[in-house]
Amino acid sequence: MDSRFPTIDQLGNNLFIFGAIYLIICFCIAWIWGRKRRVGFLWSFVFSVLMTPLVGVAITLAGKQQRKDYL
């Protein structure tokens, strides 16, 4: 076999690592900015995962911050 090309196992491992990093970045975006906005943690995470983290940040930061009215 030609050793210049990666095997299926190596490609699968790389895909798993990149996927995990992508989800961690999306989670961080939702945790840092999403939970403080009206969009919320869940929608911020969904936008980041389905589109891209950059679009998720843009949508999240475009929303208003939550008002904390305490009595």
Side-chain angles (χ1 to χ4, degrees):
M1 289 204 163
D2 195 1
S3 63
R4 292 182 296 173
F5 300 109
T7 64
I8 296 296
D9 291 334
Q10 291 170 339
L11 290 175
N13 289 339
N14 289 342
L15 184 62
F16 178 76
I17 290 170
F18 289 133
I21 291 170
Y22 186 83
L23 289 177
I24 289 169
I25 290 170
C26 293
F27 180 84
C28 290
I29 289 168
W31 181 259
I32 293 169
W33 292 298
R35 66 187 176 105
K36 298 176 185 175
R37 305 267 174 180
R38 295 204 50 186
V39 130
F41 172 83
L42 180 64
W43 283 110
S44 177
F45 183 73
V46 168
F47 288 137
S48 295
V49 170
L50 292 181
M51 295 176 191
T52 65
L54 290 176
V55 173
V57 167
I59 290 172
T60 301
L61 293 179
K64 294 181 181 179
Q65 285 190 338
Q66 289 181 346
R67 288 184 48 195
K68 302 262 182 188
D69 292 334
Y70 296 106
L71 296 174

